[in-house]
Amino acid sequence: MIIKDYVLQEKEKIRNKVSNMGIKPHLVIVQVNDDEASSTYVRGKLKDCEEVGVRADLIRLAVTASQEELLSVIEKLNHDPDVHGFIVQMPLPKQINEDIIKAAVAPSKDVDGFHPLSKMDPCTPKGIIDYLTSEGIDFTGKNAVVIGRSNIVGKPMARLLTAKNCNTTVLHSKTRPEDMAFYLEHADIVVVAIGKKEFLTGEHLKKTAVVVDVGINRFEGKLYGDAKAGLDVALQTPVPGGVGLLTRLTLIKNLLEAYSHGIQN
Ligand code: GUN
């Protein structure tokens, strides 16, 4: 099933579940930038929440806000029993240290899954695993190649694929082209998250390969993935209308998980 339809179907299931909940799960998004791309993501997340009947609020801080101001907002949210999960939208302005902010979010409310002790997995990698699973992809013993080693996608993606019994290799911008070719020739699953427009050309890939494209590259008013569109492979996720939708879906799934932890405690 294409991602758009899969996400609609999953959201319908969540909407039914939430409609039976007395106290609605409550998400807060903190945005400290005035970045156009971030604002688009945030609007999408708020819209998703509304569609499934989940409560969502946006707290906006000025782009000049200090790290202390943001930490005090986080501290309040950590202790607010009315808030089940929250995220701080990245990137942050340069006077604020992202690692300090990620570490300040209570692991039980960290629906982004950014904290090392978070109870939830990061949204993009988890969304990808769930979607490929729904497509009947068998992970055990498969050669998975992750291109990109970011903390948000590449590293946790490799961890989750390995947990699914893949033989996982992480490649990156410093990988030599001949090595890139070697690993791609053997790859069954390729997740490309390197942030370079049409980096993956399809050369060296098996026709049976599965390609997951995490790239969002804006160029002359159009969106491009990290892979060329229309590769001759078994499955390729589109850009736009691909992984971004899975990330947003998983944020809501993580919120429901944080909610159920909160109710039990
Ligand atoms: N910026 C880009 N992607 C994300 C995400 O998944 N979560 C947050 N908090 N910020 C982001």
Side-chain angles (χ1 to χ4, degrees):
M1 192 187 298
I2 64 165
I3 290 181
K4 195 167 141 273
D5 293 339
Y6 164 77
V7 168
L8 280 175
Q9 181 189 289
E10 291 293 295
K11 278 165 77 176
E12 186 55 28
K13 283 189 211 158
I14 294 171
R15 206 176 61 78
N16 280 326
K17 198 166 161 187
V18 171
S19 71
N20 291 318
M21 293 172 164
I23 300 166
K24 301 301 179 198
H26 183 196
L27 173 75
V28 173
I29 301 176
V30 184
Q31 187 181 355
V32 198
N33 58 48
D34 46 16
D35 185 60
E36 196 39 56
S38 279
S39 297
T40 306
Y41 295 144
V42 167
R43 273 196 300 276
K45 290 171 185 176
L46 293 171
K47 181 168 151 276
D48 288 337
C49 288
E50 194 185 320
E51 282 170 6
V52 299
V54 151
R55 216 178 129 195
D57 293 317
L58 174 62
I59 298 178
R60 285 200 77 147
L61 299 188
V63 71
T64 52
S66 67
Q67 182 164 295
E68 286 61 39
E69 271 174 80
L70 178 55
L71 284 171
S72 95
V73 169
I74 291 172
E75 202 49 30
K76 280 204 197 86
L77 293 170
N78 280 344
H79 291 103
D80 185 344
D82 197 35
V83 173
H84 303 102
F86 67 96
I87 67 168
V88 180
Q89 186 65 28
M90 303 291 166
L92 292 171
K94 55 184 176 307
Q95 72 275 17
I96 301 179
N97 181 311
E98 288 194 359
D99 290 337
I100 290 177
I101 296 307
K102 284 178 190 162
V105 176
S108 60
K109 294 193 179 185
D110 176 26
V111 286
D112 255 332
F114 287 168
H115 192 291
L117 298 176
S118 176
K119 300 231 185 293
M120 278 68 64
D121 285 322
C123 297
T124 301
K126 179 174 189 287
I128 290 169
I129 295 277
D130 286 354
Y131 173 65
L132 294 182
T133 303
S134 81
E135 282 293 293
I137 306 288
D138 182 20
F139 295 93
T140 298
K142 295 286 171 63
N143 296 327
V145 170
V146 178
I147 309 177
R149 52 179 157 177
S150 70
N151 292 325
I152 295 187
V153 182
K155 286 190 198 117
M157 188 77 245
R159 176 168 59 81
L160 298 191
L161 286 165
T162 306
K164 284 285 188 186
N165 301 318
C166 283
N167 317 313
T168 312
T169 306
V170 179
L171 307 178
H172 45 73
S173 55
K174 299 288 193 289
T175 302
R176 289 178 301 201
E178 63 269 32
D179 292 330
M180 186 70 71
F182 171 84
Y183 287 108
L184 288 178
E185 274 166 17
H186 296 88
D188 300 304
I189 299 168
V190 180
V191 179
V192 59
I194 195 165
K196 291 183 185 170
K197 171 178 170 279
E198 297 178 329
F199 173 83
L200 193 72
T201 59
E203 220 187 336
H204 312 295
L205 286 178
K206 298 199 273 196
K207 283 193 182 9
T208 53
V210 167
V211 173
V212 178
D213 191 344
V214 186
I216 303 178
N217 306 289
R218 273 162 234 273
F219 182 71
E220 294 181 344
K222 247 190 93 179
L223 282 187
Y224 293 84
D226 285 354
K228 267 204 166 128
L231 299 180
D232 185 15
V233 292
L235 187 162
Q236 177 179 9
T237 67
V239 176
V243 170
L245 298 178
L246 299 176
T247 302
R248 282 162 47 180
L249 170 67
T250 310
L251 179 66
I252 298 177
K253 288 189 181 173
N254 279 352
L255 178 70
L256 296 202
E257 203 176 319
Y259 174 89
S260 60
H261 291 314
I263 295 295
Q264 279 157 20
N265 292 339

